[in-house]
Amino acid sequence: MDRILDLGGTIIQEEQPSKPIYDDVLEFIKADYQVSIDGIKTITDLMESDIFDITTYDLMKEYLKDEEEDMYWSEGQIELVEKIGKEYFIFKFL
């Protein structure tokens, strides 16, 4: 938000639709994984559009890196659950 304000933009905060509540940890991790996949695509598309100044572009690179790390974490957790089973995963890691 600070960057938008620095560039003279206006912040508009709107009510967002409610998010699902997950009873199953694996469903949550898979949903988080999909959010990361979608976010990476959106960020990549924006970065390729050349609409950013160099400072904003660098900020977007950092955001992309963070989103990729989150995706890799979710990917690893999904693989771990598949290898050891959900019950042991919950018992051991949560």
Side-chain angles (χ1 to χ4, degrees):
M1 283 197 244
D2 289 340
R3 185 67 185 148
I4 292 170
L5 293 172
D6 288 346
L7 295 172
T10 303
I11 304 297
I12 301 171
Q13 294 181 333
E14 300 173 344
E15 185 176 342
Q16 298 293 315
S18 62
K19 305 287 186 220
I21 297 174
Y22 296 95
D23 293 330
D24 182 282
V25 67
L26 185 56
E27 286 180 28
F28 172 77
I29 294 171
K30 286 181 178 181
D32 185 57
Y33 177 72
Q34 189 58 51
V35 167
S36 295
I37 296 293
D38 296 342
I40 290 168
K41 181 181 179 343
T42 300
I43 295 166
T44 303
D45 291 348
L46 285 171
M47 290 176 72
E48 290 173 357
S49 70
D50 296 329
I51 62 170
F52 299 121
D53 60 278
I54 191 67
T55 303
T56 305
Y57 185 82
D58 287 343
L59 290 169
M60 293 299 289
K61 284 194 307 189
E62 289 298 315
Y63 186 62
L64 177 62
K65 179 182 171 188
D66 183 60
E67 200 64 39
E68 287 173 337
E69 288 173 1
D70 188 46
M71 179 195 68
Y72 294 137
W73 180 88
S74 295
E75 222 171 46
Q77 299 309 299
I78 292 168
E79 289 175 11
L80 184 59
V81 169
E82 290 172 355
K83 288 180 182 176
I84 67 172
K86 186 170 38 173
E87 292 77 16
Y88 188 70
F89 175 84
I90 292 170
F91 175 74
K92 186 73 174 169
F93 297 100
L94 297 180

